[in-house]
Amino acid sequence: MQKLDLTVQAAGDPAELAENVRSALSRGLPELAPAPCVHDGTFVCVASGWAMPSFIDEIKAHRKAGRPIVSVKAAHDFLCENGVEPDMWVNLDPRDRTKGIQRANDHTNYLVASRCPPVTFEHLKGKKITLWHSWTEGPEMKAMGPGKLAIGGGTTSGMRAINIGYVLGFRKFVLYGYDSCNRADGIKRFTGEKTGPTLDVYVGDGPEKRKFVCNAAMAQQANEFQMIYAVMPDIAVEAKGPGLIAAIIEERRKMSLAA
């Protein structure tokens, strides 16, 4: 069929349409957004950083307020043991991480990347599983085939969780356990694990300059976190705890106030 030679004027004057949009937004109505659970627009991500357990009461308050609690990998069982079965669980890791989901339950929607090993899917058999695809170069993308939504945004499950939330329509994020640095005694996770080789990362200048001790993966995650502001300019993020990512957010706030 040949393309028809038509000139069609869409209904509505551009200025009138813009005013309609402003009027509709001013009504404070809930907006259509794809999401696997009821929410108020805030995505609460809980990862495995060492500071996370001290915020369990805050996390419970988010649950009471109707916000989705999203567990990143091993934080799952800690949340379940403390009376908060996550609404979602996110895993990007191609290694066997089933040790952290021994309390798999019927409430949680398990968002498992297709790159995860078969043992993950077998362990969760009979539970709610939502498959998602990781954007990456090379054979992995080819294996997905055409027409698949692939979500990028970092090398860690924690970073991909933020990107998944954004794709699902969330714009406000509260992060727990995203310390991205070691505790003073070398502990890297709430489980008591220590890290191997480390490097020093600094945030700020002058007398307010702060040093954080990280492994390479933590430092890379901090780098990737800073990139989200470029690709998600409408995002609002709050990180709880004294970690590196919280310091980055605070430094950005200071820079914006000084601009």
Side-chain angles (χ1 to χ4, degrees):
M1 180 178 177
Q2 290 185 332
K3 185 177 180 181
L4 300 177
D5 185 11
L6 297 173
T7 300
V8 178
Q9 177 65 46
D13 174 82
E16 178 188 7
L17 296 175
E19 182 56 35
N20 288 350
V21 171
R22 286 190 287 268
S23 174
L25 290 173
S26 71
R27 299 173 187 274
L29 298 169
E31 297 186 33
L32 177 66
C37 62
V38 175
H39 66 87
D40 70 350
T42 301
F43 207 63
V44 181
C45 295
V46 184
S48 300
W50 50 269
M52 182 270 287
S54 62
F55 292 97
I56 186 61
D57 288 339
E58 280 192 24
I59 295 169
K60 289 180 177 179
H62 284 299
R63 161 57 58 78
K64 189 174 181 180
R67 298 175 185 125
I69 308 300
V70 184
S71 166
V72 179
K73 295 198 300 188
H76 175 280
D77 281 2
F78 173 85
L79 291 172
C80 292
E81 288 163 5
N82 284 273
V84 185
E85 290 182 342
D87 296 288
M88 287 174 267
W89 178 77
V90 174
N91 186 25
L92 172 73
D93 206 319
R95 296 167 291 183
D96 181 0
R97 295 303 191 193
T98 55
K99 183 179 179 181
I101 48 171
Q102 293 302 301
R103 293 178 174 268
N105 59 84
D106 294 330
H107 173 78
T108 305
N109 189 340
Y110 294 91
L111 276 59
V112 186
S114 56
R115 70 200 313 262
C116 292
V119 66
T120 304
F121 295 92
E122 292 301 319
H123 181 77
L124 292 170
K125 187 173 287 186
K127 306 302 181 186
K128 290 185 289 187
I129 302 176
T130 297
L131 188 68
W132 63 280
H133 303 284
S134 166
W135 189 94
T136 186
E137 299 283 358
E140 190 175 340
M141 288 291 288
K142 293 180 180 178
M144 293 175 203
K148 299 294 185 184
L149 170 65
I151 298 175
T155 54
T156 66
S157 297
M159 287 303 302
R160 295 297 175 101
I162 295 173
N163 281 264
I164 287 171
Y166 192 87
V167 169
L168 292 177
F170 293 87
R171 295 297 180 265
K172 296 179 182 178
F173 294 80
V174 183
L175 312 180
Y176 294 93
Y178 279 69
D179 303 310
S180 213
C181 65
N182 287 346
R183 202 167 66 186
D185 58 2
I187 296 296
K188 69 174 182 177
R189 293 197 182 102
F190 77 92
T191 51
E193 290 178 66
K194 290 194 173 186
T195 189
T198 61
L199 63 154
D200 295 341
V201 175
Y202 295 88
V203 176
D205 293 306
E208 295 185 354
K209 187 175 182 179
R210 299 173 61 191
K211 183 178 83 170
F212 297 88
V213 179
C214 316
N215 63 19
M218 292 170 178
Q220 177 65 12
Q221 177 173 258
N223 275 337
E224 293 167 349
F225 175 78
Q226 295 179 79
M227 294 172 61
I228 68 173
Y229 292 98
V231 296
M232 307 176 191
D234 54 345
I235 194 173
V237 190
E238 181 181 5
K240 297 301 186 84
L244 173 56
I245 286 182
I248 290 171
I249 294 173
E250 176 60 17
E251 189 64 22
R252 286 185 60 87
R253 187 189 69 82
K254 291 178 182 178
M255 291 170 62
S256 66
L257 291 174

